């Protein structure tokens, strides 16, 4: 499901540009052009993250942030027009997760959004992930196939967890790199292929199962047999 981002920004041109880019990246976007409306929307529980301008009509971004933090831990990235140390310090003191100075490159904003969303504590919901005979116990960091333990390195475990959390969905190399290695990873996208080979050897080949599938030209997917 697409994550929903709230954009509180009164500069219409900038807001439209950011909205288009976010939608293009697959996010849903809600917009408010003043602080008061923005605060109400941010408290609605519908959004995964808030992009909050500082200079806003009706209620400043700082005031929105202060009030928001009384009730909500939603990630907030401040958009500031000035590269002012005071703004940054008071924004971070008031509970902002990050800030970005206008004008910004959209790629930088997207990277910060991904980082802020990743910092969110994972929901303590399902701690066992399965695919056919494979069971992953996330808390105990254990993987079994037909009840037999599989010895995985940390990266292999993370990659497998990512695939299992998205069971049935084909994930591109870029998505896997971003999810497992982080957006600041510097290197070759073939790291993903290398680790997929490790997983195949330890799981599919060792146990005679077929769980990890290649979708040519697209990426990888875990499917139950
Ligand atoms: Ca403004």
């Amino acid at each position: 499901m697409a994550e929903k981002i709230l954009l509180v920004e009164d500069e219409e041109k900038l807001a439209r540009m950011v909205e288009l880019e976010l939608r293009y990246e697959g996010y849903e976007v809600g917009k408010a052009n003043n602080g008061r409306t923005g605060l109400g929307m941010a408290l609605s529980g519908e959004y995964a993250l808030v992009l909050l301008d500082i200079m806003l009509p009706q209620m400043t971004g700082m005031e929105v942030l202060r009030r928001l933090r009384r009730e909500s831990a939603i990630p907030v990235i401040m958009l500031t027009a000035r590269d002012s140390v005071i703004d940054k310090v008071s924004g971070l003191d008031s509970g902002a997760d990050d800030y970005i100075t206008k004008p910004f490159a959209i790629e930088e904003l997207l990277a910060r959004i991904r980082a802020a969303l990743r910092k969110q504590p994972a929901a303590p919901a399902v701690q066992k992930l399965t695919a056919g005979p494979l069971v992953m116990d996330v808390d105990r960091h254990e993987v079994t196939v037909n009840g037999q333990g599989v010895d995985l390195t940390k990266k292999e475990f993370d990659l497998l967890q990512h695939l299992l959390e998205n069971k049935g969905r084909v994930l591109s190399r870029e998505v896997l790199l971003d999810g497992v290695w982080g957006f600041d990873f510097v290197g070759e996208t073939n790291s993903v292929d290398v680790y997929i080979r490790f997983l195949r050897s330890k799981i599919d080949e060792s146990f005679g199962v077929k769980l990890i599938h290649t979708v040519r030209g697209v990426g990888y997917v875990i499917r139950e047999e």
Side-chain angles (χ1 to χ4, degrees):
M1 207 179 71
E3 276 167 310
K4 231 172 148 177
I5 293 180
L6 174 62
L7 174 59
V8 189
E9 170 60 78
D10 60 319
E11 283 166 59
E12 217 174 291
K13 253 179 86 176
L14 177 64
R16 258 206 312 273
M17 185 273 283
V18 172
E19 180 187 15
L20 282 176
E21 295 285 353
L22 291 177
R23 287 193 193 282
Y24 182 77
E25 289 296 313
Y27 295 108
E28 282 189 54
V29 182
K31 279 195 302 183
N33 62 9
N34 69 73
R36 200 168 296 279
T37 309
L39 178 61
M41 289 171 78
L43 287 171
S44 68
E46 271 182 65
Y47 295 92
L49 180 141
V50 183
L51 298 174
L52 181 60
D53 184 27
I54 290 186
M55 302 294 283
L56 286 167
Q58 292 188 34
M59 190 187 289
T60 69
M62 285 300 177
E63 186 58 23
V64 172
L65 179 62
R66 269 192 291 272
R67 296 199 191 190
L68 184 59
R69 277 293 171 259
R70 288 182 205 153
E71 297 176 48
S72 166
I74 186 172
V76 174
I77 299 175
M78 305 296 287
L79 309 175
T80 164
R82 298 157 294 167
D83 194 2
S84 135
V85 174
I86 304 266
D87 274 356
K88 282 174 195 166
V89 170
S90 53
L92 294 172
D93 275 353
S94 310
D97 296 82
D98 205 351
Y99 58 85
I100 189 164
T101 307
K102 294 189 245 179
F104 47 80
I106 196 70
E107 284 308 324
E108 191 187 353
L109 179 65
L110 292 170
R112 283 166 189 247
I113 288 173
R114 287 194 295 266
L117 288 173
R118 246 201 316 270
K119 267 194 290 186
Q120 284 286 88
V126 189
Q127 292 304 333
K128 280 200 177 169
L129 301 166
T130 64
L134 185 147
V135 179
M136 171 180 279
D137 186 324
V138 178
D139 287 336
R140 300 173 65 176
H141 222 264
E142 283 173 3
V143 174
T144 59
V145 178
N146 292 324
Q148 270 186 278
V150 184
D151 195 18
L152 297 179
T153 65
K154 166 121 180 43
K155 272 284 172 280
E156 291 165 354
F157 189 94
D158 290 349
L159 178 59
L160 181 62
Q161 182 178 353
H162 217 76
L163 288 165
L164 286 168
E165 283 171 347
N166 294 281
K167 188 168 65 177
R169 272 180 60 196
V170 181
L171 300 178
S172 69
R173 288 175 181 78
E174 288 71 27
V175 166
L176 287 169
L177 261 189
D178 193 47
V180 178
W181 280 265
F183 69 90
D184 48 0
F185 173 78
V186 185
E188 300 295 326
T189 52
N190 72 10
S191 300
V192 174
D193 306 296
V194 170
Y195 277 85
I196 289 280
R197 274 206 296 280
F198 293 157
L199 282 181
R200 277 215 175 105
S201 146
K202 288 184 176 181
I203 294 168
D204 288 21
E205 288 159 25
S206 293
F207 291 91
V209 294
K210 183 91 186 103
L211 296 172
I212 302 165
H213 299 258
T214 305
V215 179
R216 215 166 283 282
V218 187
Y220 297 103
V221 58
I222 275 208
R223 290 199 190 103
E224 294 180 358
E225 289 174 294

